[in-house]
Amino acid sequence: SQQGEEDPQALSIQEGENATMNCSYKTSINNLQWYRQNSGRGLVHLILIRSNEREKHSGRLRVTLDTSKKSSSLLITASRAADTASYFCATEFSGGYNKLIFGAGTRLAVHP
Amino acid sequence: NAGVTQTPKFRVLKTGQSMTLLCAQDMNHEYMYWYRQDPGMGLRLIHYSVGEGTTAKGEVPDGYNVSRLKKQNFLLGLESAAPSQTSVYFCASSRGTGEYGYTFGSGTRLTVV
């Protein structure tokens, strides 16, 4: 399977703290994407990082990509209770149509 | 500004029954996808389409069929539902390869009894 794998499976922090989630994958990729899913809802696209990029920022989100280690991390700074959700990484692997393979996700709980 | 709309939102089927899930997008996206999500697992790709009239198999296509007769619609069919197909089904669409994220629908919760 080309599936990305997130670590940890679950994360519990206090408001204001930073949250870091990691993703590992198996094969060469075109890009890696992070999505958020609130309970009972669809997924929302957060950020896309291409294989030739090493770091990307969007608001309180910072994503890094290390293609030599086949890994990525998502950092959420100054977390809020509203950040409570599941976060998924998804990889578009090289050589094929645009289809994303998702990991099992990290469940983040941010406590007030 | 609807994005991706899935119907129905909930459905209960008896084993052996058939049904069709409808996905509609109003963003003129070329690519459309069907995923299923089971507890504790990520999304698994069932079928996808890279344009009107095209379909292709994903990771878990068995027991499902799809059609993309119009660019804006992507239908997922279950010919003979089985309890193993109890899941939440998500449709998504995308503008293309490599540069764009997916837009997801809100899901269809299907229970097969």
Side-chain angles (χ1 to χ4, degrees), chain A residues 35 37 50 92 98 100 103, chain B residues 33 35 37 42 94 96 99 102:
Chain A
Y35 288 78
Q37 183 181 34
R50 300 183 190 89
E92 179 188 304
N98 175 24
L100 291 181
Chain B
Y33 312 84
Y35 285 88
Q37 185 178 33
S94 170
E99 298 286 328
Y102 287 10

Side-chain angles (χ1 to χ4, degrees), chain A residues 1-2 4 7 9-11 16 38-39 44-45 49 52-53 57 59 61 63-64 70 72 77 82 85 88 91 104 111:
Chain A
S1 170
Q2 318 262 357
D7 172 59
Q9 291 185 328
L11 182 60
N38 290 90
S39 181
V44 174
H45 179 253
I49 187 165
N52 61 353
E53 297 176 315
H57 297 254
L61 306 180
V63 170
T64 61
K70 293 186 171 58
S72 173
T77 60
F88 295 88
T91 51
H111 302 284

